[in-house]
Amino acid sequence: MSANADFRAIAEKHLYGNYRQAPFVLEKGRGCEVWDVEGNRFLDLCAGVAVCAVGHAHPKHVAAIAHQAATLTHVSNWFYNRVNIELADKLAAITGLDRVLFCNSGAEAIEGLLKLARHHFWGIGKPEKKRLIAFHNAFHGRTMGALSLTGTPKYREGFGSLEGVTHLPYGDLAAVEAAMGPDVAGILVEPVQGEGGVLPAPEGFLQGLRALCDAHGALLLLDEVQTGVGRTGSWFGYQHFGVKPDAVAMAKGLGGGFPIGAFATTEALAGALPPGTHGTTYGGNSLACASALSVLAIVEEEKLAEGAAQKGEFLAKALRAIVEEFPKVCEQERGVGLLRGLVLREGFVARDVVPQIFARGVLVIGAGDRVLRFCPPLVVTEAELAEGIAAVRAVIAELAAK
Ligand SMILES: *Cc1c(COP(=O)(O)O)cnc(C)c1O
């Protein structure tokens, strides 16, 4: 038996089995490379689903986590803690917002936004204003509230749903306009739909949503869990559109692999969730905040947001070349910065193509049914992107030859 098979045997017995994992067992990483328990090397172009923004084991990130672990790991929300305050200050500066609430994951950050919106209107004597608008194909997480806003019915099947959620076609401003009314508390939207298939918001969409929210006294809630922290070429996706949200959720890239989530909001909403209405034990945990502070410092020092725009163009061009070469297999390339998708033609299934790319030593993931998603560490080099593209091209060429 191989080491991979030995571990797999235990995993198949004792892990819950709610994921379909690849057959190899990863053990260590450095930069954009990871290795399995047998020493096989993979180029990582998915970064734990847009999480490992500064790559694996970045020396400064490792040092910051180690230092904080040896200094103070956790107190509780009954006490201020230094790094938590420093991180809130930094996030206020880069979001252009005022107030930050910490949690542990993307879904929790979304839960926070939903509770913020509903509690705000309840608190100002408008309890009827509680309907939430979200979009088809949107992904907002797996907890019951976030799941209710998630736009893919198959994720919601069998679980029931929050009341008062309306799902509309992404990009369709007229549909939103028609659905708006005095009962709408907020609109929740991703600037690029990630899980749904790497679909950027069409021109004018976010601006249009902002205007509709203003006209109807509703809140514009941005889900930047996947797009935040430099991935799209600016700190946050909404900054490309010149739109200011009422609140923004972030997670994934923020901790660079250490679990943390947060939302940032305006001073106007600072009183919507007073003491006792919301919170979580680990929210603002020192170790998590030190990890995030270090990620933000590295993104700044190494100009990784600017790099995401440049390298994203390089990646896009290479993917477009594959689309042109194999039009029978590929439909288009799309995305923003270092969140890119190669859309396969009807009849091809991303889930079935991904393992063939793994077999060539490159990690990518699917998005939607037929999109190959690239969301590499922001520290990726053009040489590494070229290596990954060569593997993808070889697999697409095989599909085209069949
Ligand atoms: C991943 C994701 C979430 C959920 O985050 P978790 O940390 O998995 O709970 C929410 N929204 C978007 C856009 C995401 O990509």
Side-chain angles (χ1 to χ4, degrees):
M1 288 265 277
S2 68
N4 275 319
D6 289 346
F7 279 107
R8 212 160 53 226
I10 303 170
E12 282 165 9
K13 208 161 143 199
H14 292 303
L15 281 179
Y16 192 83
N18 59 324
Y19 289 100
R20 273 186 229 97
Q21 284 95 341
F24 41 88
V25 178
L26 297 175
E27 169 168 59
K28 64 176 185 182
R30 187 139 210 110
C32 295
E33 298 173 296
V34 291
W35 288 266
D36 72 9
V37 288
E38 294 174 18
N40 298 306
R41 174 248 187 208
F42 298 86
L43 176 67
D44 181 6
L45 296 187
C46 52
V49 195
V51 166
C52 308
V54 299
H56 300 279
H58 188 294
K60 283 190 178 158
H61 192 219
V62 171
I65 293 170
H67 172 77
Q68 191 61 45
T71 305
L72 182 68
T73 298
H74 182 79
V75 284
S76 88
N77 287 306
W78 297 111
F79 307 101
Y80 283 126
N81 80 74
R82 177 178 175 160
V83 276
N84 164 313
I85 294 171
E86 289 171 344
L87 181 59
D89 186 43
K90 182 71 189 168
L91 287 174
I94 66 174
T95 55
L97 295 163
D98 306 297
R99 299 276 182 165
V100 180
L101 189 147
F102 292 110
C103 56
N104 309 289
S105 69
E108 272 186 46
I110 297 297
E111 293 292 330
L113 293 190
L114 305 181
K115 289 181 72 175
L116 176 77
R118 285 194 169 172
H119 215 252
H120 166 64
F121 290 112
W122 179 83
I124 59 169
K126 295 182 179 173
E128 71 287 355
K129 210 165 168 62
K130 62 178 191 178
R131 191 152 60 92
L132 297 156
I133 290 179
F135 297 95
H136 296 160
N137 281 321
F139 184 83
H140 299 299
R142 305 283 195 166
T143 55
M144 282 306 308
L147 182 66
S148 303
L149 278 288
T150 287
T152 306
K154 96 172 172 238
Y155 293 147
R156 298 200 304 272
E157 231 168 52
F159 292 112
S161 187
L162 279 189
E163 276 172 44
V165 177
T166 305
H167 284 104
L168 300 170
Y170 187 67
D172 189 343
L173 270 181
V176 182
E177 189 163 10
M180 286 307 277
D183 61 336
V184 175
I187 301 179
L188 178 64
V189 64
E190 299 159 89
V192 181
Q193 286 193 328
E195 301 300 312
V198 193
L199 199 63
E203 204 56 49
F205 185 52
L206 293 187
Q207 294 92 324
L209 293 181
R210 176 73 273 175
L212 286 171
C213 284
D214 291 343
H216 293 270
L219 304 178
L220 181 62
L221 310 170
L222 264 282
D223 180 348
E224 296 250 12
V225 170
Q226 190 154 157
T227 47
V229 193
R231 182 152 297 279
T232 64
S234 55
W235 278 119
F236 293 93
Y238 62 83
Q239 291 161 344
H240 290 286
F241 300 95
V243 158
K244 188 175 175 194
D246 293 292
V248 55
M250 62 194 89
K252 294 201 164 94
L254 180 60
F258 199 98
I260 183 170
F263 74 66
T265 187
T266 60
E267 194 57 36
L269 294 177
L273 293 171
T277 55
H278 189 58
T280 172
T281 298
Y282 283 122
N285 168 279
S286 300
L287 197 48
C289 290
S291 174
L293 263 176
S294 157
V295 167
L296 298 178
I298 295 167
V299 168
E300 223 157 40
E301 278 162 29
E302 301 187 8
K303 300 195 175 357
L304 296 180
E306 297 86 333
Q310 277 159 23
K311 291 179 281 192
E313 274 316 305
F314 176 87
L315 176 58
K317 216 171 129 193
L319 292 174
R320 280 198 293 272
I322 294 179
V323 174
E324 273 165 35
E325 191 177 358
F326 303 106
K328 289 209 178 80
V329 181
C330 305
E331 192 174 295
Q332 64 166 170
E333 168 282 323
R334 66 189 182 209
V336 182
L338 281 175
L339 178 55
R340 297 272 162 186
L342 180 62
V343 185
L344 305 176
R345 294 256 175 224
E346 202 97 45
F348 293 96
V349 179
R351 206 175 46 239
D352 299 337
V353 177
V354 161
Q356 300 174 45
I357 302 173
F358 292 167
R360 290 176 179 271
V362 175
L363 306 186
V364 299
I365 39 176
D369 293 332
R370 47 192 181 94
V371 180
L372 299 176
R373 177 172 27 165
F374 302 81
C375 46
L378 305 182
V379 294
V380 73
T381 63
E382 289 191 356
E384 285 166 329
L385 288 173
E387 180 195 338
I389 289 292
V392 171
R393 188 199 161 274
V395 168
I396 301 287
E398 277 175 8
L399 293 174
K402 273 189 192 146

